[in-house]
Amino acid sequence: MTGRERLLSVAKGKPTDRRASIATDCQIVPVDRVSQALKEKPDLLTLALVQSPLSRALQSNTPIYDLIQADPIKGNERLDELCLATQARAVDALGQGADGICYLIEGASPIHSTPMQYGGHFLERDREILESLSAAKFNLLVIAGSEEPYIDFVSDLQADAFGWDSSSNWSPAQVRELRPGALAANHAEADIEFPMSTLQALAQIQEANA
């Protein structure tokens, strides 16, 4: 099986010749490298890294919660801009032929947001964006961070596979209680191997994907 075939099979709950791995069966690249990546490694599943609106705010050092609190109208206008930018990047990637996107949510944890802040301003926007991309062959949703990420909040967001850092003390068994489908983590019980080194490398791709 090719890497693409292996991951697509896992997403559909079908058997594979070996355990699938994000590290070896998939390439996650910036949106502007999708076309080249498809040419260089056509047998791998090709995903474009797309930052969620909150991830985009963090990378651009936009104090979005402060802006909303200080001026709700202007703050929400800025939030809408972040959402439109995320949507545009995803549509661009799929238009270039990407198999799907790796949708990275950073900041959905106590370090950056309270449950009310993330749930009130970003959760439903993440849901709308991911649902609009459901026609893709394979979308990977990744919740970044090892410090108490709000996995219970995001567990029902639409994606073909759900990825996270298992050192956050969320085990695959716990996540399976919240959502069906393929799980990708640095844990032996996950359906898809997602090594820590690959998780960490997403931060470097993120810088190029602003």
Side-chain angles (χ1 to χ4, degrees):
M1 303 181 78
T2 65
R4 177 180 289 106
E5 292 169 342
R6 192 170 291 112
L7 282 166
L8 292 177
S9 293
V10 171
K12 296 175 182 177
K14 295 181 178 181
T16 59
D17 55 342
R18 63 166 174 79
R19 186 186 182 202
S21 173
I22 296 297
T24 58
D25 295 321
C26 176
Q27 52 184 340
I28 301 174
V29 300
V31 173
D32 59 6
R33 287 202 61 245
V34 167
S35 297
Q36 188 63 31
L38 286 166
K39 293 177 183 177
E40 294 175 353
K41 299 179 180 179
D43 291 338
L44 297 185
L45 188 84
T46 300
L47 303 181
L49 182 71
V50 173
Q51 300 168 33
S52 72
L54 180 51
S55 301
R56 193 171 292 278
L58 290 174
Q59 187 182 0
S60 62
N61 294 315
T62 301
I64 190 64
Y65 298 127
D66 292 340
L67 292 177
I68 292 172
Q69 184 173 3
D71 188 329
I73 294 177
K74 290 184 178 180
N76 278 286
E77 287 177 351
R78 179 59 180 137
L79 180 53
D80 289 341
E81 291 173 358
L82 294 168
C83 293
L84 288 172
T86 293
Q87 183 81 44
R89 295 295 278 177
V91 170
D92 184 7
L94 296 179
Q96 294 182 56
D99 293 300
I101 66 168
C102 173
Y103 191 83
L104 180 65
I105 297 180
E106 286 195 291
S109 67
I111 296 176
H112 299 289
S113 309
T114 66
M116 186 173 293
Q117 286 175 328
Y118 172 71
H121 297 296
F122 287 99
L123 179 60
E124 293 309 313
R125 287 174 168 85
D126 286 329
R127 189 184 312 282
E128 290 174 5
I129 293 171
L130 285 165
E131 288 178 352
S132 75
L133 305 172
S134 61
K137 296 176 183 176
F138 186 106
N139 288 330
L140 171 65
L141 169 61
V142 177
I143 311 304
S146 59
E147 300 296 326
E148 303 178 28
Y150 300 142
I151 286 181
D152 48 347
F153 275 53
V154 301
S155 62
D156 66 343
L157 295 180
Q158 186 169 336
D160 298 283
F162 183 86
W164 79 101
D165 180 355
S166 66
S167 68
S168 63
N169 293 324
W170 280 90
S171 70
Q174 290 172 310
V175 179
R176 287 189 206 284
E177 293 179 357
L178 299 175
R179 68 175 288 138
L183 302 181
N186 47 332
H187 194 290
E189 296 176 5
D191 305 295
I192 302 170
E193 180 188 16
F194 203 161
M196 178 64 76
S197 59
T198 306
L199 276 166
Q200 293 172 339
L202 291 182
Q204 300 302 317
I205 303 174
Q206 179 186 355
E207 292 177 1
N209 195 37

